[in-house]
Amino acid sequence: MKPTLLACSLVAVFGSTLAAAAPPAASSNISHEQFATVLKGEWRVPQNVARDQYRHPEQTLQFFGLRDDQTVIEITPGNGWYSELLAPLLKDNGHYVAAIVDPSVSDYAKKSADNLKQKYAADPAHYGKIEVVAYAPKAPVFGKPESADTVLTFRNVHNWVDAGNEAATFKAFYDVLKPGGTLGVVDHRAKPGTTAKDNEKNGYLPTDYVVKLAQAAGFTLAGESEVNANPKDTKDYPDGVWTLPPALVKGEQDKAKYLAIGESDRMTLRFIKPAK
């Protein structure tokens, strides 16, 4: 499925619509052939490769306008799924920064940081130029002010909302980005007409809620893509989004059913920090 860009209107504080030019369309300088090379890379974990069909990495990164000469910060890379692609793509001309939760915050954070650093250390040919930045969840700083071209976050916003850190986190995105820089957000999309409170602890968020979070921090919505949509996702599971793959928290119970649904329905949003 190709990304579908939806033009966004700019709305004044008091609700009146302003006549203003839309932000420029994203433009990536990375070719399909370059993406194909890294997607087939022997360094990628087979379980990660199997998820390409759900995460659509080439289309997603193209939609965000990824360029190989950018400084790109990925927020909480998890097990390094996107690191396997971003680090090689940016290695020669750009700079990839993995922003991780400070390991001192919890045992879980320490274990996650150790696992990720071990992954990077084991393959210096592909990951040797990665910069790892640790941040405090309640007062995040992702780098020097206006030092990044792009900030990317995949399936994390719902965690910050649950923890009450969402406003501080989006403010930190804004601070670290250069004027004109891009914020790319992917997260589990809630049923239309529901609120963030309706989806408390189930992993889903309403798109309009995420847009408002970004706008409150100063961002402008530049585009929305359906590349990560999944109409099979009914979003009504007792165990939330983790019922679906890859988590499959129900184990073998109805596993075939959840595998047939696939991974969650996801919003894919591109925001811009206005130029000065």
Side-chain angles (χ1 to χ4, degrees):
M1 183 187 299
K2 294 182 178 179
T4 301
L5 296 179
L6 303 177
C8 73
S9 61
L10 300 178
V11 180
V13 173
F14 295 104
S16 59
T17 303
L18 297 177
S27 177
S28 174
N29 69 344
I30 303 175
S31 69
H32 170 70
E33 289 72 24
Q34 287 173 286
F35 276 112
T37 297
V38 297
L39 286 168
K40 295 176 182 176
E42 76 285 351
W43 62 89
R44 298 190 65 204
V45 176
Q47 295 93 320
N48 289 345
V49 175
R51 297 183 63 199
D52 288 352
Q53 61 180 313
Y54 303 118
R55 303 195 70 174
H56 310 101
E58 177 180 352
Q59 299 94 321
T60 299
L61 294 175
Q62 289 277 18
F63 172 71
F64 290 147
L66 181 75
R67 300 180 64 83
D68 64 8
D69 57 355
Q70 292 179 328
T71 293
V72 177
I73 303 175
E74 184 187 0
I75 312 300
T76 57
N79 71 356
W81 198 96
Y82 260 103
S83 300
E84 294 179 355
L85 309 176
L86 290 168
L89 286 170
L90 298 168
K91 183 180 65 172
D92 293 333
N93 303 310
H95 184 46
Y96 172 62
V97 180
I100 63 171
V101 174
D102 192 314
S104 67
V105 168
S106 66
D107 290 341
Y108 178 81
K110 184 179 186 307
K111 182 178 180 181
S112 296
D114 288 346
N115 289 341
L116 193 64
K117 289 177 180 178
Q118 287 171 13
K119 178 186 182 81
Y120 295 161
D123 188 354
H126 296 101
Y127 306 130
K129 294 186 177 180
I130 291 177
E131 178 184 357
V132 177
V133 172
Y135 69 91
K138 293 183 179 180
V141 176
F142 301 118
K144 294 181 180 178
E146 300 186 357
S147 61
D149 299 288
T150 296
V151 170
L152 300 176
T153 176
F154 302 96
R155 299 163 34 250
N156 292 309
V157 180
H158 63 280
N159 293 321
W160 301 322
V161 171
D162 288 345
N165 301 330
E166 66 273 33
T169 304
F170 274 83
K171 172 66 164 52
F173 296 159
Y174 190 89
D175 290 344
V176 78
L177 278 168
K178 300 173 183 177
T182 295
L183 169 63
V185 177
V186 177
D187 214 324
H188 312 294
R189 180 165 51 187
K191 288 183 178 181
T194 61
T195 67
K197 187 167 182 59
D198 294 334
N199 294 279
E200 205 168 32
K201 305 299 183 181
N202 73 4
Y204 294 94
L205 282 176
T207 300
D208 61 350
Y209 182 83
V210 177
V211 171
K212 288 175 182 176
L213 281 177
Q215 290 175 333
F219 289 100
T220 298
L221 178 64
E224 183 175 354
S225 171
E226 290 297 297
V227 66
N228 293 306
N230 180 4
K232 294 180 182 179
D233 180 5
T234 57
K235 312 175 187 185
D236 57 359
Y237 320 106
D239 293 293
V241 71
W242 304 280
T243 305
L244 299 177
L248 292 169
V249 296
K250 305 295 285 187
E252 294 301 314
Q253 181 181 337
D254 293 324
K255 183 177 181 180
K257 169 186 172 181
Y258 298 127
L259 286 173
I261 293 172
E263 295 194 14
S264 67
D265 177 51
R266 293 165 187 166
M267 67 184 88
T268 304
L269 307 172
R270 176 176 174 258
F271 300 96
I272 297 295
K273 177 177 178 176
K276 292 181 178 178

